Amino acid sequence: MQNIDASSEPARIGQWRQLIDILAQNPRDFAGELVAKGLVNAHALGRTLDVNERLAGVHALAGRIRSAPLVQLLAGDVPAIAAAAIFGADLSDTEWSELVPELPVRARGFLRSRSDLGQKTRLALSNWSGADFRIAGTIAPTVETAIPEIAPSGEIGAIVRRIEQWRKDREAGDSPRLPLGDDFVDSELAPPSEISFETDDNGTIIWVDDVPRGAVVGVDIARAAYDDGPGPDAYGAAAFRQRMPLENARMRLRGSLLVDGDWRVNAAPFFDPLTGRFRGYRGIMRRPRLYEKPEAGAAGEEWRRQRGEGMQQVVHELRTPLGAIAGFAEIIEQQLFGPVTEEYRQMAGAILADAQRLLAGFEDLSVASRLDAGNFEVEPGVTDCRWLANRLAERLESVSEENRIVLNLAIADPVRAFAIDRAMAERIFSRFLSAVMMGCDEGESLNGRFKTEPGISTCNLFQLELPAKLKQCSDDQLFGTDPSFNEFETSVDTSSPLLGLGFSLRLVRNLARKAGGDLRFQKESLVLAIPAVQDGDMDFRDIGGD
């Protein structure tokens, strides 16, 4: 590496181009001190040249820059030169990943635009996204016309030594984790307990709500997490590939300390309503509960099992005497042991109605505890949509008549059969409708519509327009997770849910997810998705039905 000859501008241009051409070769064949001296000379010469001359020199090396230290030096120049260096470099996946922490924020942005990045580089960029996308304050616009001032020999020599040390660490199998300090956390923000998100059709998260975007946006749920990087577990990645709902899939985030750590994901695929094309996933991430944490292990599963068995025992002890009371009340009401007065018959009828309502509530508790303990199984079967609509109309007739509610069920014809058995379908939809009826005013209409949504995993959707009282409620209020929300009083009919709106909707959502579907809030409506029978292509036209 020769010293600088600044006698004329053409000489400086020629020397600078020769110097960066030599440095662009693989620097592992050069001594570290020579590389450092060459970088110092290139920096000094570059400061004496016009931006256009430097840019032309970098463009001339497109595809031949195999030196990570040179890429770092050029990445600190003006944006056009930094971009030309990033896109013209030919580094290995490991070299890129090791260089990521040393690149300026803007240069990492250029690197993200490359389509040929390896897994290690994508992981490194993802780990730094929490810093790169954080808005630190108002930034005054500046016009850059020269290479920024740096301490030449000291910093560049340190860069070379650091890269050499990384190589040694990698060969020894001790790769350090990229640094992300506490400086990237806004102390005024409270750590979120839930994160709403949406992905594109490739599985990349493109939208999040009220959390640092850089730590979440760009994370890929289609591929299992690599080493200690962000991403889902193998179950979540497999569910994405099969376009199946994600139910409590494990997820890991990195970056901002507000979201760093383990999460659980519940999400469902969504499709274009006109073409049936898969568009991505929508869902939420939540922090794992105590028994779900890895350190809980078998103890957590045992705790869940014991809690479920305990609830089952309580329900059994309550249901047994209540069943006997209901039986004697029915005997009196039907005068099976002899005639009784009308007054006693009315009292027995009221007792029977209350007992049946309590039994229905106990059954809901039993199902909820079995779902929570993980021992509730969905029986295979097929349920015709028209049969289900007629059955629901019959079962809920007493509720609608008593409260003067008009229940309208429409069908977008043709519609496929549900891929669940009749008992399960009737349980899910009757609980769903009776729960929402609690929020209806007298004389109000409740409109629901069945339709088949085509796609890779075809499902039936039931969209139920919320009554006026519930239209302004949030998701937390509807599902009973907002303690400040006062639910509406229930009907005395035995078909009305005993345990309230929030519990009933959560139960319906859990049953739907167990069957491979979901229940979600959408634009003043609740949409219940249940898998449909896969029976080939269909043409769709929307008509009303009973």
Side-chain angles (χ1 to χ4, degrees), residues 14-29:
Q15 286 191 19
W16 185 77
R17 287 199 173 192
Q18 291 178 2
L19 189 54
I20 64 172
D21 197 343
I22 294 173
L23 288 170
Q25 302 174 42
N26 194 331
R28 284 179 290 187
D29 298 333

mmCIF file with all atom_site columns, all heavy atoms in Angstrom, residues 14-29:
data_model
loop_
_atom_site.group_PDB
_atom_site.id
_atom_site.type_symbol
_atom_site.label_atom_id
_atom_site.label_alt_id
_atom_site.label_comp_id
_atom_site.label_asym_id
_atom_site.label_entity_id
_atom_site.label_seq_id
_atom_site.pdbx_PDB_ins_code
_atom_site.Cartn_x
_atom_site.Cartn_y
_atom_site.Cartn_z
_atom_site.occupancy
_atom_site.B_iso_or_equiv
_atom_site.pdbx_formal_charge
_atom_site.auth_seq_id
_atom_site.auth_comp_id
_atom_site.auth_asym_id
_atom_site.auth_atom_id
_atom_site.pdbx_PDB_model_num
ATOM 1   N N   . GLY A 1 14 ? -6.898  8.285   -9.935  1.00 0.00 ? 14 GLY A N   1
ATOM 2   C CA  . GLY A 1 14 ? -6.321  7.004   -10.336 1.00 0.00 ? 14 GLY A CA  1
ATOM 3   C C   . GLY A 1 14 ? -5.857  6.186   -9.150  1.00 0.00 ? 14 GLY A C   1
ATOM 4   O O   . GLY A 1 14 ? -6.088  4.966   -9.086  1.00 0.00 ? 14 GLY A O   1
ATOM 5   N N   . GLN A 1 15 ? -5.167  6.847   -8.204  1.00 0.00 ? 15 GLN A N   1
ATOM 6   C CA  . GLN A 1 15 ? -4.695  6.126   -7.022  1.00 0.00 ? 15 GLN A CA  1
ATOM 7   C C   . GLN A 1 15 ? -5.863  5.600   -6.193  1.00 0.00 ? 15 GLN A C   1
ATOM 8   O O   . GLN A 1 15 ? -5.830  4.466   -5.681  1.00 0.00 ? 15 GLN A O   1
ATOM 9   C CB  . GLN A 1 15 ? -3.800  7.035   -6.179  1.00 0.00 ? 15 GLN A CB  1
ATOM 10  C CG  . GLN A 1 15 ? -2.425  7.277   -6.766  1.00 0.00 ? 15 GLN A CG  1
ATOM 11  C CD  . GLN A 1 15 ? -1.500  7.951   -5.774  1.00 0.00 ? 15 GLN A CD  1
ATOM 12  O OE1 . GLN A 1 15 ? -1.751  7.931   -4.576  1.00 0.00 ? 15 GLN A OE1 1
ATOM 13  N NE2 . GLN A 1 15 ? -0.427  8.535   -6.270  1.00 0.00 ? 15 GLN A NE2 1
ATOM 14  N N   . TRP A 1 16 ? -6.912  6.423   -6.058  1.00 0.00 ? 16 TRP A N   1
ATOM 15  C CA  . TRP A 1 16 ? -8.057  6.002   -5.237  1.00 0.00 ? 16 TRP A CA  1
ATOM 16  C C   . TRP A 1 16 ? -8.742  4.793   -5.855  1.00 0.00 ? 16 TRP A C   1
ATOM 17  O O   . TRP A 1 16 ? -9.103  3.830   -5.173  1.00 0.00 ? 16 TRP A O   1
ATOM 18  C CB  . TRP A 1 16 ? -9.043  7.162   -5.086  1.00 0.00 ? 16 TRP A CB  1
ATOM 19  C CG  . TRP A 1 16 ? -10.186 6.846   -4.157  1.00 0.00 ? 16 TRP A CG  1
ATOM 20  C CD1 . TRP A 1 16 ? -10.166 6.817   -2.806  1.00 0.00 ? 16 TRP A CD1 1
ATOM 21  C CD2 . TRP A 1 16 ? -11.523 6.477   -4.553  1.00 0.00 ? 16 TRP A CD2 1
ATOM 22  N NE1 . TRP A 1 16 ? -11.395 6.465   -2.313  1.00 0.00 ? 16 TRP A NE1 1
ATOM 23  C CE2 . TRP A 1 16 ? -12.253 6.255   -3.367  1.00 0.00 ? 16 TRP A CE2 1
ATOM 24  C CE3 . TRP A 1 16 ? -12.155 6.345   -5.777  1.00 0.00 ? 16 TRP A CE3 1
ATOM 25  C CZ2 . TRP A 1 16 ? -13.589 5.893   -3.380  1.00 0.00 ? 16 TRP A CZ2 1
ATOM 26  C CZ3 . TRP A 1 16 ? -13.492 5.974   -5.805  1.00 0.00 ? 16 TRP A CZ3 1
ATOM 27  C CH2 . TRP A 1 16 ? -14.199 5.748   -4.609  1.00 0.00 ? 16 TRP A CH2 1
ATOM 28  N N   . ARG A 1 17 ? -8.903  4.813   -7.195  1.00 0.00 ? 17 ARG A N   1
ATOM 29  C CA  . ARG A 1 17 ? -9.563  3.689   -7.864  1.00 0.00 ? 17 ARG A CA  1
ATOM 30  C C   . ARG A 1 17 ? -8.712  2.418   -7.763  1.00 0.00 ? 17 ARG A C   1
ATOM 31  O O   . ARG A 1 17 ? -9.237  1.321   -7.551  1.00 0.00 ? 17 ARG A O   1
ATOM 32  C CB  . ARG A 1 17 ? -9.843  4.031   -9.322  1.00 0.00 ? 17 ARG A CB  1
ATOM 33  C CG  . ARG A 1 17 ? -10.968 5.031   -9.515  1.00 0.00 ? 17 ARG A CG  1
ATOM 34  C CD  . ARG A 1 17 ? -11.508 4.977   -10.919 1.00 0.00 ? 17 ARG A CD  1
ATOM 35  N NE  . ARG A 1 17 ? -12.681 5.807   -11.090 1.00 0.00 ? 17 ARG A NE  1
ATOM 36  C CZ  . ARG A 1 17 ? -13.479 5.751   -12.156 1.00 0.00 ? 17 ARG A CZ  1
ATOM 37  N NH1 . ARG A 1 17 ? -13.198 4.907   -13.136 1.00 0.00 ? 17 ARG A NH1 1
ATOM 38  N NH2 . ARG A 1 17 ? -14.530 6.541   -12.250 1.00 0.00 ? 17 ARG A NH2 1
ATOM 39  N N   . GLN A 1 18 ? -7.390  2.577   -7.939  1.00 0.00 ? 18 GLN A N   1
ATOM 40  C CA  . GLN A 1 18 ? -6.528  1.415   -7.796  1.00 0.00 ? 18 GLN A CA  1
ATOM 41  C C   . GLN A 1 18 ? -6.575  0.852   -6.380  1.00 0.00 ? 18 GLN A C   1
ATOM 42  O O   . GLN A 1 18 ? -6.595  -0.368  -6.180  1.00 0.00 ? 18 GLN A O   1
ATOM 43  C CB  . GLN A 1 18 ? -5.087  1.793   -8.157  1.00 0.00 ? 18 GLN A CB  1
ATOM 44  C CG  . GLN A 1 18 ? -4.873  2.085   -9.639  1.00 0.00 ? 18 GLN A CG  1
ATOM 45  C CD  . GLN A 1 18 ? -3.448  2.512   -9.930  1.00 0.00 ? 18 GLN A CD  1
ATOM 46  O OE1 . GLN A 1 18 ? -2.608  2.548   -9.027  1.00 0.00 ? 18 GLN A OE1 1
ATOM 47  N NE2 . GLN A 1 18 ? -3.173  2.845   -11.193 1.00 0.00 ? 18 GLN A NE2 1
ATOM 48  N N   . LEU A 1 19 ? -6.603  1.757   -5.428  1.00 0.00 ? 19 LEU A N   1
ATOM 49  C CA  . LEU A 1 19 ? -6.582  1.340   -4.031  1.00 0.00 ? 19 LEU A CA  1
ATOM 50  C C   . LEU A 1 19 ? -7.848  0.565   -3.663  1.00 0.00 ? 19 LEU A C   1
ATOM 51  O O   . LEU A 1 19 ? -7.792  -0.512  -3.060  1.00 0.00 ? 19 LEU A O   1
ATOM 52  C CB  . LEU A 1 19 ? -6.409  2.565   -3.130  1.00 0.00 ? 19 LEU A CB  1
ATOM 53  C CG  . LEU A 1 19 ? -6.152  2.301   -1.647  1.00 0.00 ? 19 LEU A CG  1
ATOM 54  C CD1 . LEU A 1 19 ? -4.964  1.377   -1.450  1.00 0.00 ? 19 LEU A CD1 1
ATOM 55  C CD2 . LEU A 1 19 ? -5.927  3.625   -0.913  1.00 0.00 ? 19 LEU A CD2 1
ATOM 56  N N   . ILE A 1 20 ? -9.018  1.109   -4.030  1.00 0.00 ? 20 ILE A N   1
ATOM 57  C CA  . ILE A 1 20 ? -10.253 0.398   -3.665  1.00 0.00 ? 20 ILE A CA  1
ATOM 58  C C   . ILE A 1 20 ? -10.408 -0.872  -4.493  1.00 0.00 ? 20 ILE A C   1
ATOM 59  O O   . ILE A 1 20 ? -11.058 -1.833  -4.052  1.00 0.00 ? 20 ILE A O   1
ATOM 60  C CB  . ILE A 1 20 ? -11.494 1.303   -3.810  1.00 0.00 ? 20 ILE A CB  1
ATOM 61  C CG1 . ILE A 1 20 ? -11.712 1.728   -5.261  1.00 0.00 ? 20 ILE A CG1 1
ATOM 62  C CG2 . ILE A 1 20 ? -11.407 2.499   -2.884  1.00 0.00 ? 20 ILE A CG2 1
ATOM 63  C CD1 . ILE A 1 20 ? -13.035 2.454   -5.474  1.00 0.00 ? 20 ILE A CD1 1
ATOM 64  N N   . ASP A 1 21 ? -9.831  -0.904  -5.702  1.00 0.00 ? 21 ASP A N   1
ATOM 65  C CA  . ASP A 1 21 ? -9.863  -2.124  -6.497  1.00 0.00 ? 21 ASP A CA  1
ATOM 66  C C   . ASP A 1 21 ? -9.067  -3.228  -5.806  1.00 0.00 ? 21 ASP A C   1
ATOM 67  O O   . ASP A 1 21 ? -9.491  -4.402  -5.747  1.00 0.00 ? 21 ASP A O   1
ATOM 68  C CB  . ASP A 1 21 ? -9.301  -1.858  -7.884  1.00 0.00 ? 21 ASP A CB  1
ATOM 69  C CG  . ASP A 1 21 ? -9.681  -2.958  -8.882  1.00 0.00 ? 21 ASP A CG  1
ATOM 70  O OD1 . ASP A 1 21 ? -10.092 -4.046  -8.423  1.00 0.00 ? 21 ASP A OD1 1
ATOM 71  O OD2 . ASP A 1 21 ? -9.580  -2.726  -10.084 1.00 0.00 ? 21 ASP A OD2 1
ATOM 72  N N   . ILE A 1 22 ? -7.905  -2.875  -5.256  1.00 0.00 ? 22 ILE A N   1
ATOM 73  C CA  . ILE A 1 22 ? -7.100  -3.858  -4.533  1.00 0.00 ? 22 ILE A CA  1
ATOM 74  C C   . ILE A 1 22 ? -7.798  -4.293  -3.251  1.00 0.00 ? 22 ILE A C   1
ATOM 75  O O   . ILE A 1 22 ? -7.880  -5.485  -2.923  1.00 0.00 ? 22 ILE A O   1
ATOM 76  C CB  . ILE A 1 22 ? -5.712  -3.271  -4.214  1.00 0.00 ? 22 ILE A CB  1
ATOM 77  C CG1 . ILE A 1 22 ? -4.927  -3.028  -5.517  1.00 0.00 ? 22 ILE A CG1 1
ATOM 78  C CG2 . ILE A 1 22 ? -4.936  -4.201  -3.291  1.00 0.00 ? 22 ILE A CG2 1
ATOM 79  C CD1 . ILE A 1 22 ? -3.615  -2.295  -5.302  1.00 0.00 ? 22 ILE A CD1 1
ATOM 80  N N   . LEU A 1 23 ? -8.342  -3.288  -2.519  1.00 0.00 ? 23 LEU A N   1
ATOM 81  C CA  . LEU A 1 23 ? -9.024  -3.612  -1.263  1.00 0.00 ? 23 LEU A CA  1
ATOM 82  C C   . LEU A 1 23 ? -10.285 -4.441  -1.485  1.00 0.00 ? 23 LEU A C   1
ATOM 83  O O   . LEU A 1 23 ? -10.733 -5.164  -0.587  1.00 0.00 ? 23 LEU A O   1
ATOM 84  C CB  . LEU A 1 23 ? -9.381  -2.320  -0.521  1.00 0.00 ? 23 LEU A CB  1
ATOM 85  C CG  . LEU A 1 23 ? -8.213  -1.566  0.105   1.00 0.00 ? 23 LEU A CG  1
ATOM 86  C CD1 . LEU A 1 23 ? -8.669  -0.192  0.584   1.00 0.00 ? 23 LEU A CD1 1
ATOM 87  C CD2 . LEU A 1 23 ? -7.617  -2.354  1.267   1.00 0.00 ? 23 LEU A CD2 1
ATOM 88  N N   . ALA A 1 24 ? -10.899 -4.322  -2.659  1.00 0.00 ? 24 ALA A N   1
ATOM 89  C CA  . ALA A 1 24 ? -12.131 -5.051  -2.947  1.00 0.00 ? 24 ALA A CA  1
ATOM 90  C C   . ALA A 1 24 ? -11.909 -6.546  -3.005  1.00 0.00 ? 24 ALA A C   1
ATOM 91  O O   . ALA A 1 24 ? -12.856 -7.329  -2.890  1.00 0.00 ? 24 ALA A O   1
ATOM 92  C CB  . ALA A 1 24 ? -12.740 -4.560  -4.257  1.00 0.00 ? 24 ALA A CB  1
ATOM 93  N N   . GLN A 1 25 ? -10.641 -6.952  -3.200  1.00 0.00 ? 25 GLN A N   1
ATOM 94  C CA  . GLN A 1 25 ? -10.348 -8.380  -3.189  1.00 0.00 ? 25 GLN A CA  1
ATOM 95  C C   . GLN A 1 25 ? -10.485 -8.926  -1.767  1.00 0.00 ? 25 GLN A C   1
ATOM 96  O O   . GLN A 1 25 ? -10.535 -8.188  -0.800  1.00 0.00 ? 25 GLN A O   1
ATOM 97  C CB  . GLN A 1 25 ? -8.927  -8.617  -3.723  1.00 0.00 ? 25 GLN A CB  1
ATOM 98  C CG  . GLN A 1 25 ? -8.701  -8.073  -5.130  1.00 0.00 ? 25 GLN A CG  1
ATOM 99  C CD  . GLN A 1 25 ? -7.259  -8.207  -5.551  1.00 0.00 ? 25 GLN A CD  1
ATOM 100 O OE1 . GLN A 1 25 ? -6.648  -9.234  -5.302  1.00 0.00 ? 25 GLN A OE1 1
ATOM 101 N NE2 . GLN A 1 25 ? -6.725  -7.165  -6.182  1.00 0.00 ? 25 GLN A NE2 1
ATOM 102 N N   . ASN A 1 26 ? -10.515 -10.244 -1.654  1.00 0.00 ? 26 ASN A N   1
ATOM 103 C CA  . ASN A 1 26 ? -10.687 -10.858 -0.351  1.00 0.00 ? 26 ASN A CA  1
ATOM 104 C C   . ASN A 1 26 ? -9.538  -10.486 0.578   1.00 0.00 ? 26 ASN A C   1
ATOM 105 O O   . ASN A 1 26 ? -8.392  -10.866 0.328   1.00 0.00 ? 26 ASN A O   1
ATOM 106 C CB  . ASN A 1 26 ? -10.739 -12.386 -0.502  1.00 0.00 ? 26 ASN A CB  1
ATOM 107 C CG  . ASN A 1 26 ? -11.251 -13.054 0.747   1.00 0.00 ? 26 ASN A CG  1
ATOM 108 O OD1 . ASN A 1 26 ? -11.079 -12.546 1.848   1.00 0.00 ? 26 ASN A OD1 1
ATOM 109 N ND2 . ASN A 1 26 ? -11.873 -14.197 0.574   1.00 0.00 ? 26 ASN A ND2 1
ATOM 110 N N   . PRO A 1 27 ? -9.806  -9.722  1.646   1.00 0.00 ? 27 PRO A N   1
ATOM 111 C CA  . PRO A 1 27 ? -8.719  -9.219  2.487   1.00 0.00 ? 27 PRO A CA  1
ATOM 112 C C   . PRO A 1 27 ? -8.086  -10.277 3.379   1.00 0.00 ? 27 PRO A C   1
ATOM 113 O O   . PRO A 1 27 ? -7.111  -9.993  4.055   1.00 0.00 ? 27 PRO A O   1
ATOM 114 C CB  . PRO A 1 27 ? -9.414  -8.149  3.334   1.00 0.00 ? 27 PRO A CB  1
ATOM 115 C CG  . PRO A 1 27 ? -10.812 -8.631  3.435   1.00 0.00 ? 27 PRO A CG  1
ATOM 116 C CD  . PRO A 1 27 ? -11.112 -9.278  2.116   1.00 0.00 ? 27 PRO A CD  1
ATOM 117 N N   . ARG A 1 28 ? -8.616  -11.503 3.390   1.00 0.00 ? 28 ARG A N   1
ATOM 118 C CA  . ARG A 1 28 ? -8.019  -12.530 4.250   1.00 0.00 ? 28 ARG A CA  1
ATOM 119 C C   . ARG A 1 28 ? -6.632  -12.943 3.766   1.00 0.00 ? 28 ARG A C   1
ATOM 120 O O   . ARG A 1 28 ? -5.866  -13.535 4.508   1.00 0.00 ? 28 ARG A O   1
ATOM 121 C CB  . ARG A 1 28 ? -8.940  -13.753 4.294   1.00 0.00 ? 28 ARG A CB  1
ATOM 122 C CG  . ARG A 1 28 ? -10.157 -13.553 5.169   1.00 0.00 ? 28 ARG A CG  1
ATOM 123 C CD  . ARG A 1 28 ? -11.059 -14.757 5.180   1.00 0.00 ? 28 ARG A CD  1
ATOM 124 N NE  . ARG A 1 28 ? -11.733 -14.916 3.892   1.00 0.00 ? 28 ARG A NE  1
ATOM 125 C CZ  . ARG A 1 28 ? -12.695 -15.825 3.670   1.00 0.00 ? 28 ARG A CZ  1
ATOM 126 N NH1 . ARG A 1 28 ? -13.052 -16.638 4.636   1.00 0.00 ? 28 ARG A NH1 1
ATOM 127 N NH2 . ARG A 1 28 ? -13.263 -15.923 2.488   1.00 0.00 ? 28 ARG A NH2 1
ATOM 128 N N   . ASP A 1 29 ? -6.328  -12.602 2.490   1.00 0.00 ? 29 ASP A N   1
ATOM 129 C CA  . ASP A 1 29 ? -4.995  -12.910 1.979   1.00 0.00 ? 29 ASP A CA  1
ATOM 130 C C   . ASP A 1 29 ? -3.979  -11.832 2.332   1.00 0.00 ? 29 ASP A C   1
ATOM 131 O O   . ASP A 1 29 ? -2.792  -11.982 2.044   1.00 0.00 ? 29 ASP A O   1
ATOM 132 C CB  . ASP A 1 29 ? -5.042  -13.058 0.451   1.00 0.00 ? 29 ASP A CB  1
ATOM 133 C CG  . ASP A 1 29 ? -5.953  -14.199 0.028   1.00 0.00 ? 29 ASP A CG  1
ATOM 134 O OD1 . ASP A 1 29 ? -6.113  -15.137 0.831   1.00 0.00 ? 29 ASP A OD1 1
ATOM 135 O OD2 . ASP A 1 29 ? -6.492  -14.144 -1.089  1.00 0.00 ? 29 ASP A OD2 1
#
